Amino acid sequence: DVIIIGGGPGGTKAAKVLGRAGKKVALIADDLGGECLNYGCIPTKTYLWTADFLEKAAGSEIYGLEGAASAKVNWEKMKDRKNKVVSKLKQGLTFSVQSAKVEIITGRGSFVNDHTVKVGEQTYEASHIIIATGSQAIMPPGFTLGEKIISNKEILDLPSIPKNLLIIGAGAVGVEFASVFQALGTDVTLAEGADRLLPNEDKEVSSELEKIFNRKKITIWKNKHVTAEDLAPFEKVLVAIGRKPSIDSLNLEASGVSVE
Protein backbone atom coordinates (compact mmCIF):
# COMPACT_ATOMS: atom_id res chain seq x y z
CA ASP A 1 0.00 0.00 0.00
CA VAL A 2 2.69 2.49 1.03
CA ILE A 3 6.43 2.88 0.45
CA ILE A 4 8.25 5.26 2.77
CA ILE A 5 11.67 6.56 1.73
CA GLY A 6 13.66 7.64 4.76
CA GLY A 7 14.12 6.06 8.20
CA GLY A 8 14.32 9.09 10.46
CA PRO A 9 11.67 10.32 12.93
CA GLY A 10 9.23 11.21 10.15
CA GLY A 11 9.57 7.97 8.20
CA THR A 12 9.55 5.58 11.14
CA LYS A 13 6.56 7.27 12.78
CA ALA A 14 4.59 7.17 9.53
CA ALA A 15 5.51 3.52 9.04
CA LYS A 16 4.36 2.50 12.53
CA VAL A 17 1.05 4.39 12.30
CA LEU A 18 0.25 2.93 8.87
CA GLY A 19 1.43 -0.56 9.78
CA ARG A 20 -0.73 -0.64 12.92
CA ALA A 21 -3.67 0.56 10.84
CA GLY A 22 -3.36 -2.60 8.76
CA LYS A 23 -1.61 -1.19 5.71
CA LYS A 24 1.13 -3.11 3.92
CA VAL A 25 4.15 -0.88 4.38
CA ALA A 26 7.77 -0.95 3.20
CA LEU A 27 10.27 1.40 4.82
CA ILE A 28 13.42 2.13 2.80
CA ALA A 29 16.36 3.38 4.86
CA ASP A 30 20.13 3.15 4.62
CA ASP A 31 20.49 3.92 8.34
CA LEU A 32 17.42 3.46 10.53
CA GLY A 33 16.97 6.41 12.85
CA GLY A 34 18.14 8.96 10.31
CA GLU A 35 20.23 12.03 11.06
CA CYS A 36 18.62 12.62 14.46
CA LEU A 37 19.51 9.28 16.00
CA ASN A 38 22.78 8.57 14.19
CA TYR A 39 24.46 11.96 13.66
CA GLY A 40 22.39 14.67 15.33
CA CYS A 41 20.27 15.02 18.45
CA ILE A 42 21.25 11.82 20.24
CA PRO A 43 25.05 11.70 19.73
CA THR A 44 25.50 15.40 20.48
CA LYS A 45 23.53 15.09 23.72
CA THR A 46 25.74 12.23 24.92
CA TYR A 47 28.78 14.48 24.35
CA LEU A 48 27.09 17.49 25.97
CA TRP A 49 26.35 15.31 29.01
CA THR A 50 30.07 14.59 29.40
CA ALA A 51 30.90 18.27 28.86
CA ASP A 52 28.46 19.18 31.61
CA PHE A 53 30.14 16.73 34.01
CA LEU A 54 33.55 18.25 33.21
CA GLU A 55 32.33 21.78 33.88
CA LYS A 56 30.78 20.76 37.19
CA ALA A 57 33.96 18.90 38.18
CA ALA A 58 36.08 22.00 37.45
CA GLY A 59 34.27 23.94 40.19
CA SER A 60 33.61 21.09 42.58
CA GLU A 61 36.22 21.87 45.24
CA ILE A 62 33.99 24.51 46.83
CA TYR A 63 31.58 21.64 47.56
CA GLY A 64 34.29 19.65 49.30
CA LEU A 65 35.16 17.36 46.40
CA GLU A 66 38.92 17.08 46.10
CA GLY A 67 40.60 15.85 42.92
CA ALA A 68 37.52 16.03 40.70
CA ALA A 69 38.81 19.19 39.00
CA SER A 70 41.72 17.23 37.53
CA ALA A 71 39.44 14.77 35.69
CA LYS A 72 40.86 13.72 32.32
CA VAL A 73 38.93 13.11 29.12
CA ASN A 74 39.11 9.71 27.43
CA TRP A 75 37.92 10.49 23.90
CA GLU A 76 37.75 6.83 22.85
CA LYS A 77 35.51 6.01 25.80
CA MET A 78 33.32 9.01 24.99
CA LYS A 79 32.89 7.75 21.43
CA ASP A 80 32.25 4.23 22.65
CA ARG A 81 29.50 5.41 25.00
CA LYS A 82 27.95 7.46 22.20
CA ASN A 83 27.95 4.41 19.92
CA LYS A 84 26.36 2.24 22.61
CA VAL A 85 23.59 4.78 23.25
CA VAL A 86 22.86 5.06 19.52
CA SER A 87 22.96 1.27 19.07
CA LYS A 88 20.57 0.64 21.96
CA LEU A 89 18.06 3.18 20.71
CA LYS A 90 18.35 1.85 17.16
CA GLN A 91 17.61 -1.67 18.38
CA GLY A 92 14.48 -0.40 20.13
CA LEU A 93 13.41 1.53 17.04
CA THR A 94 13.93 -1.49 14.78
CA PHE A 95 11.84 -3.65 17.10
CA SER A 96 8.98 -1.13 17.23
CA VAL A 97 8.92 -0.77 13.43
CA GLN A 98 8.98 -4.52 12.88
CA SER A 99 6.28 -4.99 15.54
CA ALA A 100 4.01 -2.86 13.37
CA LYS A 101 4.52 -5.47 10.60
CA VAL A 102 6.53 -3.03 8.50
CA GLU A 103 9.07 -4.44 6.03
CA ILE A 104 12.44 -2.70 6.39
CA ILE A 105 14.44 -2.47 3.16
CA THR A 106 18.07 -1.43 3.65
CA GLY A 107 19.41 0.92 1.01
CA ARG A 108 18.64 4.17 -0.79
CA GLY A 109 15.48 4.53 -2.81
CA SER A 110 15.13 6.41 -6.09
CA PHE A 111 12.04 6.92 -8.24
CA VAL A 112 11.46 4.99 -11.45
CA ASN A 113 8.03 6.60 -11.85
CA ASP A 114 5.37 8.03 -9.54
CA HIS A 115 4.44 4.58 -8.18
CA THR A 116 7.75 2.70 -8.46
CA VAL A 117 10.91 2.95 -6.39
CA LYS A 118 14.24 1.27 -7.08
CA VAL A 119 16.66 0.10 -4.37
CA GLY A 120 19.83 -1.30 -5.89
CA GLU A 121 18.63 -3.61 -8.65
CA GLN A 122 15.26 -4.33 -7.00
CA THR A 123 12.08 -2.37 -7.77
CA TYR A 124 9.01 -1.94 -5.58
CA GLU A 125 5.56 -0.60 -6.45
CA ALA A 126 3.02 1.08 -4.17
CA SER A 127 -0.23 3.03 -4.33
CA HIS A 128 1.32 5.78 -2.22
CA ILE A 129 4.90 6.89 -1.62
CA ILE A 130 6.02 9.09 1.27
CA ILE A 131 9.25 11.08 0.97
CA ALA A 132 10.80 11.47 4.43
CA THR A 133 14.49 11.82 3.60
CA GLY A 134 15.28 14.65 5.98
CA SER A 135 18.18 17.04 5.59
CA GLN A 136 21.94 17.23 5.17
CA ALA A 137 24.62 19.81 5.90
CA ILE A 138 25.07 22.68 3.45
CA MET A 139 28.59 23.27 2.15
CA PRO A 140 29.41 26.85 1.12
CA PRO A 141 30.90 27.45 -2.35
CA GLY A 142 34.57 26.51 -2.48
CA PHE A 143 34.41 24.26 0.59
CA THR A 144 34.78 20.50 0.19
CA LEU A 145 34.50 17.86 2.89
CA GLY A 146 37.83 16.25 3.67
CA GLU A 147 40.32 15.62 6.44
CA LYS A 148 40.27 19.24 7.62
CA ILE A 149 36.81 20.48 6.62
CA ILE A 150 34.11 18.41 8.30
CA SER A 151 30.36 18.34 8.99
CA ASN A 152 28.30 17.30 12.00
CA LYS A 153 28.80 13.65 10.98
CA GLU A 154 32.59 13.53 10.83
CA ILE A 155 33.15 15.54 14.01
CA LEU A 156 31.44 12.84 16.08
CA ASP A 157 34.16 10.29 15.34
CA LEU A 158 37.39 12.26 15.02
CA PRO A 159 40.49 10.17 15.78
CA SER A 160 41.49 12.63 18.51
CA ILE A 161 40.34 15.84 20.18
CA PRO A 162 41.61 18.76 18.05
CA LYS A 163 43.87 21.36 19.64
CA ASN A 164 41.92 24.10 17.92
CA LEU A 165 38.66 24.20 16.00
CA LEU A 166 36.94 26.74 13.77
CA ILE A 167 33.17 26.40 13.66
CA ILE A 168 31.45 28.20 10.79
CA GLY A 169 27.87 28.95 11.79
CA ALA A 170 26.51 29.80 15.24
CA GLY A 171 23.13 28.13 14.96
CA ALA A 172 22.02 25.17 17.07
CA VAL A 173 24.63 22.78 15.64
CA GLY A 174 27.50 25.25 15.87
CA VAL A 175 26.92 26.35 19.46
CA GLU A 176 26.40 22.75 20.65
CA PHE A 177 29.76 21.63 19.31
CA ALA A 178 31.42 24.83 20.56
CA SER A 179 30.20 23.95 24.07
CA VAL A 180 31.34 20.33 23.79
CA PHE A 181 34.85 20.89 22.47
CA GLN A 182 35.60 23.88 24.67
CA ALA A 183 34.85 21.65 27.67
CA LEU A 184 37.16 18.98 26.22
CA GLY A 185 40.04 21.46 26.12
CA THR A 186 39.90 22.59 22.49
CA ASP A 187 40.61 26.23 21.61
CA VAL A 188 37.31 27.07 19.85
CA THR A 189 36.58 29.91 17.43
CA LEU A 190 32.93 30.40 16.43
CA ALA A 191 32.20 32.38 13.26
CA GLU A 192 28.74 33.72 12.37
CA GLY A 193 27.68 35.74 9.33
CA ALA A 194 24.92 37.52 11.26
CA ASP A 195 25.40 40.08 14.01
CA ARG A 196 24.66 37.65 16.87
CA LEU A 197 24.83 34.03 17.94
CA LEU A 198 21.72 31.91 17.33
CA PRO A 199 20.32 34.48 14.88
CA ASN A 200 17.00 32.62 14.57
CA GLU A 201 16.32 32.66 18.31
CA ASP A 202 15.29 35.41 20.73
CA LYS A 203 17.84 38.21 21.08
CA GLU A 204 17.89 37.72 24.86
CA VAL A 205 19.06 34.13 24.35
CA SER A 206 21.79 35.25 21.96
CA SER A 207 23.00 37.91 24.39
CA GLU A 208 23.11 35.54 27.36
CA LEU A 209 24.87 32.81 25.37
CA GLU A 210 27.52 35.27 24.17
CA LYS A 211 28.26 36.24 27.78
CA ILE A 212 28.63 32.56 28.72
CA PHE A 213 30.91 31.84 25.74
CA ASN A 214 33.04 34.89 26.52
CA ARG A 215 33.53 33.61 30.07
CA LYS A 216 34.56 30.26 28.62
CA LYS A 217 37.06 32.06 26.35
CA ILE A 218 35.42 30.89 23.14
CA THR A 219 36.49 33.32 20.42
CA ILE A 220 33.46 34.78 18.61
CA TRP A 221 33.54 36.29 15.11
CA LYS A 222 30.30 38.10 14.27
CA ASN A 223 29.37 39.54 10.86
CA LYS A 224 32.09 37.25 9.51
CA HIS A 225 32.03 35.46 6.19
CA VAL A 226 34.85 32.95 6.39
CA THR A 227 37.19 32.53 3.43
CA ALA A 228 39.68 29.81 2.60
CA GLU A 229 42.50 32.01 3.96
CA ASP A 230 40.87 32.04 7.41
CA LEU A 231 41.16 28.25 7.69
CA ALA A 232 44.96 28.03 7.73
CA PRO A 233 45.60 28.24 11.53
CA PHE A 234 43.01 25.62 12.43
CA GLU A 235 43.42 21.87 12.83
CA LYS A 236 39.76 21.21 12.03
CA VAL A 237 36.97 23.30 10.50
CA LEU A 238 33.35 22.39 11.23
CA VAL A 239 30.87 23.73 8.68
CA ALA A 240 27.49 24.27 10.36
CA ILE A 241 25.84 26.98 8.26
CA GLY A 242 22.52 25.20 7.87
CA ARG A 243 20.72 22.27 6.32
CA LYS A 244 19.20 21.43 2.95
CA PRO A 245 16.79 18.67 1.86
CA SER A 246 18.39 15.27 1.20
CA ILE A 247 16.86 14.75 -2.23
CA ASP A 248 19.86 14.51 -4.56
CA SER A 249 19.66 10.74 -5.03
CA LEU A 250 15.86 10.44 -5.27
CA ASN A 251 15.55 11.07 -9.03
CA LEU A 252 12.50 13.22 -8.26
CA GLU A 253 12.02 14.15 -11.90
CA ALA A 254 10.79 10.61 -12.59
CA SER A 255 8.12 10.96 -9.88
CA GLY A 256 6.59 14.15 -11.27
CA VAL A 257 7.56 16.09 -8.15
CA SER A 258 8.95 19.56 -8.85
CA VAL A 259 11.32 21.34 -6.49
CA GLU A 260 11.86 25.09 -6.08
Side-chain angles (χ1 to χ4, degrees):
D1 299 310
V2 184
I3 288 173
I4 301 168
I5 308 175
T12 53
K13 181 67 174 180
K16 288 187 283 186
V17 169
L18 290 163
R20 288 167 184 158
K23 300 296 182 182
K24 186 177 181 181
V25 182
L27 176 65
I28 300 170
D30 58 355
D31 211 352
L32 202 65
E35 285 279 317
C36 178
L37 176 52
N38 294 289
Y39 313 112
C41 321
I42 303 303
T44 56
K45 299 310 176 290
T46 66
Y47 287 168
L48 281 166
W49 191 251
T50 300
D52 188 48
F53 270 120
L54 281 168
E55 290 183 350
K56 285 182 168 63
S60 63
E61 286 194 3
I62 62 171
Y63 300 104
L65 297 177
E66 295 183 354
S70 60
K72 294 181 180 179
V73 177
N74 187 317
W75 179 236
E76 291 304 317
K77 286 187 176 180
M78 276 186 66
K79 290 192 290 184
D80 183 57
R81 176 175 178 270
K82 177 263 296 181
N83 292 336
K84 286 178 179 176
V85 169
V86 169
S87 178
K88 183 177 181 180
L89 291 174
K90 190 180 291 189
Q91 287 174 9
L93 181 62
T94 302
F95 177 78
S96 66
V97 170
Q98 291 174 335
S99 295
K101 295 183 169 60
V102 173
E103 180 185 357
I104 299 172
I105 299 169
T106 302
R108 291 207 162 205
S110 63
F111 283 95
V112 177
N113 55 51
D114 57 352
H115 288 285
T116 309
V117 175
K118 185 176 183 180
V119 182
E121 298 302 316
Q122 186 69 40
T123 56
Y124 303 87
E125 294 184 4
S127 300
H128 303 279
I129 299 173
I130 296 175
I131 301 171
T133 46
S135 68
Q136 63 190 54
I138 295 173
M139 282 292 125
F143 284 66
T144 304
L145 286 175
E147 187 176 342
K148 183 169 187 171
I149 299 173
I150 55 179
S151 73
N152 63 295
K153 285 187 177 183
E154 292 79 25
I155 198 168
L156 294 170
D157 291 299
L158 292 174
S160 60
I161 299 171
K163 291 183 175 62
N164 55 38
L165 171 68
L166 171 63
I167 300 175
I168 306 174
V173 175
V175 300
E176 275 195 333
F177 281 115
S179 298
V180 168
F181 282 91
Q182 182 275 331
L184 299 182
T186 300
D187 183 5
V188 177
T189 298
L190 185 59
E192 170 55 50
D195 61 357
R196 61 188 177 95
L197 306 181
L198 294 174
N200 295 324
E201 311 303 329
D202 292 344
K203 289 184 178 179
E204 291 84 357
V205 174
S206 302
S207 176
E208 194 61 32
L209 184 64
E210 184 170 345
K211 292 175 187 175
I212 293 169
F213 277 9
N214 283 332
R215 288 199 296 270
K216 292 182 176 183
K217 295 183 170 50
I218 293 174
T219 301
I220 298 171
W221 296 346
K222 292 182 288 186
N223 297 304
K224 174 67 175 178
H225 293 280
V226 177
T227 64
E229 289 75 19
D230 295 315
L231 311 186
F234 296 96
E235 185 179 338
K236 297 291 181 183
V237 177
L238 170 64
V239 177
I241 61 171
R243 313 284 297 175
K244 65 178 181 178
S246 293
I247 57 174
D248 297 345
S249 62
L250 282 176
N251 192 29
L252 281 177
E253 298 79 3
S255 71
V257 172
S258 61
V259 179
E260 296 179 357

